[in-house]
Amino acid sequence: MVHWSAEEKQLIASVWSKVNVEECGAEALARLLIVYPWTQRFFDNFGNLSSPTAIIGNPKVRAHGKKVLTSFGEAVKNLENLKATYAKLSELHCEKLHVDPENFRLLGNILIIVLATHFNKDFTPACQATWQKLVGVVAHALAYKYH
Amino acid sequence: MVLSANDKTNVKGVFSKISSHAEEYGAETLERMFTTYPQTKTYFPHFDLHHGSAQVKAHGKKVAAALIEAANHIDDIAGALSKLSDLHAQKLRVDPVNFKLLGQCFLVVMAIHHPSALTPEVHASLDKFLCAVGNVLTSKYR
């Protein structure tokens, strides 16, 4: 089980309270698809992903980004119990969606960059470290049920 | 993975924007890397790694200078960094995974100080560039 210090919990909560889940989620997913174009392989039915402009404006990308980041909110609420929180999603990503867990790490890193653009200097090294730890354990929890 | 003409333009654009802060950003990149990925400190047992360390500042300056050199010779990064590549292969032998960690922290520093410059397209180009630099530095490992 992952241990979270009081400081880490505070850094997570304070950042999350200021996150616009819809905007950040949309931006994170769009950047994932732009920066790592091979990740588009999972989204054949999303329509036009032919350019960064198309991706950023794509309503399915926005909606799915919001969905993904909303789910991330569950992690923030259940820091002590991430494996259980993501057990069903993990099975889904393995058995139905067939997503290589490496993609969770890529998205996690992208989310960090998006947070950094929004929080600027408030995204201190300690804040970054805590959030990199969080995205890492979420990625691990999402990969946990893979078989 | 090849840097397109657009990528090269984007990277050169970023580096011309940050040239006056390069040393500061180099040091901040390292500090973030040491804080976020403590295992990277194992390569610097001889350094004072506290916040504000003069050694980290000096090393940050070196790292930034190398990135600038690569950006200035973006058509031949391997040539520009050949000596550094030898150094990393023969002496430093930093595990290849760590270049990705450094790259991530450099992108975070860019995001913090120049959020509007780090559009998704520029982000993609910079990420590719940092990968290319990492590849060059580890190219002679075996």
Side-chain angles (χ1 to χ4, degrees):
Chain A
M1 215 188 69
V2 182
H3 172 73
W4 301 96
S5 71
E7 191 200 353
E8 286 171 330
K9 289 183 192 180
Q10 209 279 315
L11 286 170
I12 290 169
S14 84
V15 165
W16 190 251
S17 68
K18 301 181 191 113
V19 165
N20 179 325
V21 170
E22 181 165 357
E23 282 307 318
C24 275
E27 198 183 336
L29 187 62
R31 280 186 188 253
L32 180 75
L33 298 173
I34 293 165
V35 178
Y36 307 114
W38 55 92
T39 58
Q40 292 170 25
R41 70 190 297 284
F42 301 108
F43 302 104
D44 278 341
N45 62 333
F46 268 30
N48 188 3
L49 298 179
S50 60
S51 70
T53 311
I55 291 170
I56 291 164
N58 185 311
K60 285 188 174 175
V61 171
R62 290 193 68 86
H64 196 68
K66 177 182 175 182
K67 188 177 186 184
V68 168
L69 204 60
T70 301
S71 167
F72 200 87
E74 290 303 301
V76 173
K77 286 201 292 227
N78 293 284
L79 291 176
E80 311 294 341
N81 205 7
L82 287 173
K83 288 198 172 89
T85 303
Y86 283 116
K88 285 249 149 12
L89 264 182
S90 180
E91 283 167 9
L92 178 77
H93 281 77
C94 172
E95 291 159 15
K96 278 249 155 62
L97 305 176
H98 310 294
V99 175
D100 178 349
E102 180 60 22
N103 292 284
F104 308 141
R105 282 161 219 123
L106 292 179
L107 182 62
N109 280 343
I110 293 273
L111 178 61
I112 297 293
I113 307 279
V114 169
L115 292 176
T117 61
H118 287 276
F119 287 89
N120 308 119
K121 292 208 169 80
D122 290 343
F123 202 61
T124 60
C127 202
Q128 180 190 351
T130 299
W131 274 81
Q132 294 273 184
K133 177 178 169 180
L134 178 59
V135 301
V137 300
V138 168
H140 183 76
L142 273 172
Y144 193 65
K145 289 290 204 185
Y146 271 57
H147 56 90
Chain B
M1 182 194 54
V2 166
L3 295 174
S4 69
N6 268 356
D7 288 329
K8 292 178 186 180
T9 305
N10 287 339
V11 170
K12 282 179 179 296
V14 165
F15 277 87
S16 72
K17 220 186 190 74
I18 70 167
S19 58
S20 57
H21 296 279
E23 293 168 25
E24 177 198 327
Y25 293 168
E28 189 179 342
T29 297
L30 288 177
E31 183 183 357
R32 284 179 181 272
M33 188 183 71
F34 295 139
T35 308
T36 306
Y37 309 108
Q39 66 272 23
T40 57
K41 295 191 290 186
T42 58
Y43 292 97
F44 299 91
H46 51 300
F47 266 30
D48 163 24
L49 296 178
H50 292 101
H51 177 69
S53 150
Q55 284 174 308
V56 173
K57 282 202 173 104
H59 199 67
K61 182 176 173 180
K62 273 193 202 169
V63 170
L67 289 175
I68 289 169
E69 185 72 1
N72 287 341
H73 296 90
I74 204 163
D75 291 320
D76 183 19
I77 297 175
L81 300 187
S82 179
K83 289 216 160 45
L84 263 183
S85 179
D86 291 337
L87 182 73
H88 281 77
Q90 290 153 21
K91 186 144 175 277
L92 304 177
R93 291 167 294 182
V94 172
D95 190 282
V97 71
N98 294 287
F99 297 100
K100 288 196 176 142
L101 306 182
L102 182 73
Q104 170 73 358
C105 291
F106 183 77
L107 287 171
V108 169
V109 171
M110 290 300 101
I112 285 172
H113 294 284
H114 300 275
S116 50
L118 199 73
T119 62
E121 295 97 318
V122 170
H123 176 172
S125 299
L126 250 193
D127 193 83
K128 281 171 80 174
F129 169 73
L130 293 166
C131 279
V133 169
N135 285 343
V136 163
L137 291 177
T138 57
S139 61
K140 300 175 193 175
Y141 272 30
R142 55 177 174 174

